[in-house]
């Protein structure tokens, strides 16, 4: 916003006589990390398919039914899986008989009132979403209409070295250390 109350979002659409309705859902943000606290960062990963209902990857070989919720572990088999707090996932709906949506959310949390992907009958649709990892290291997907679902994992968002430093600082009495000693710990 121009008054400094937050970021300005501008949408300029030249469509003709009628203006489209535009909906913007804010699903999260990256905030500056406080001193001596863990911070999220993207960890590079080559990407991989973690769910494909057409081929029984990550679950049964069957399309989602209307209203069905399924869960999966998007970081299974990755070396830094235990450090992951969120993942970037590309969701694809294909072979849908009806129009509908997918809602993606951390397992154990309430189903949010937003869609992560909207799809139209008999047309493929895709959307990238960053999703917090939930209970049991799982992410849940709700389909509002029958559809095949493919999920591809992209770079992993996890905790960096700051988490280890934060844990170390909790064990140390930083008040007893000089500024130079603290700087030396941070540099290590």
């Amino acid at each position: 916003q121009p008054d400094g109350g937050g970021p300005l979002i501008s949408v300029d659409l030249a469509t003709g006589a009628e203006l489209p309705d535009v909906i913007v859902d804010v699903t999260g943000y990256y905030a500056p990390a406080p001193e001596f606290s863990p911070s999220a960062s993207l960890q590079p990963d080559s990407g991989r398919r973690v769910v494909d209902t057409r081929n029984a990857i990550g679950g049964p070989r069957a399309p989602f039914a209307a209203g069905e919720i399924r869960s999966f572990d998007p970081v299974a088999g990755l070396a830094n899986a235990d450090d992951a707090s969120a993942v970037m996932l590309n969701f694809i709906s294909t072979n849908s008989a009806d129009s509908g949506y997918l809602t993606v959310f951390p397992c154990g949390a309430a189903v949010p009132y937003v869609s992560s992907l909207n799809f139209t009958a008999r047309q493929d649709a895709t959307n990238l979403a960053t999703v917090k990892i939930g209970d049991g290291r799982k992410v849940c997907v709700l389909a509002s209409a029958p559809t095949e679902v493919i999920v591809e994992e992209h770079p992993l968002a996890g905790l960096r070295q700051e988490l280890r430093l934060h844990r170390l600082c909790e064990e140390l009495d930083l008040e007893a250390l000089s500024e130079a000693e603290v700087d030396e710990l941070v540099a290590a």
Side-chain angles (χ1 to χ4, degrees), residues 65-153:
E68 181 179 5
I69 297 175
R70 293 188 196 171
S71 66
F72 63 95
D73 181 349
V75 295
L78 296 178
N80 54 350
D82 290 336
D83 289 337
S85 57
V87 286
M88 290 179 65
L89 300 169
N90 187 44
F91 294 89
I92 302 162
S93 166
T94 189
N95 301 329
S96 59
D98 298 317
S99 297
Y101 60 88
L102 298 179
T103 296
V104 183
F105 58 99
C107 290
V111 178
Y113 292 106
V114 297
S115 62
S116 305
L117 169 66
N118 297 311
F119 55 88
T120 303
R122 296 171 292 287
Q123 293 197 1
D124 295 345
T126 183
N127 194 34
L128 184 68
T130 302
V131 184
K132 181 179 177 182
I133 295 174
D135 294 348
R137 228 172 55 189
K138 302 265 183 159
V139 169
C140 286
V141 179
L142 163 71
S144 71
T147 187
E148 299 278 7
V149 174
I150 302 164
V151 181
E152 297 168 335
E153 182 252 343

Side-chain angles (χ1 to χ4, degrees), residues 161-180:
Q161 188 68 23
E162 286 89 345
L163 179 59
R164 292 184 195 96
L165 178 61
H166 178 69
R167 289 178 183 154
L168 176 64
C169 290
E170 286 177 341
E171 296 173 13
L172 296 173
D173 180 7
L174 292 181
E175 299 292 325
L177 297 177
S178 70
E179 186 174 331

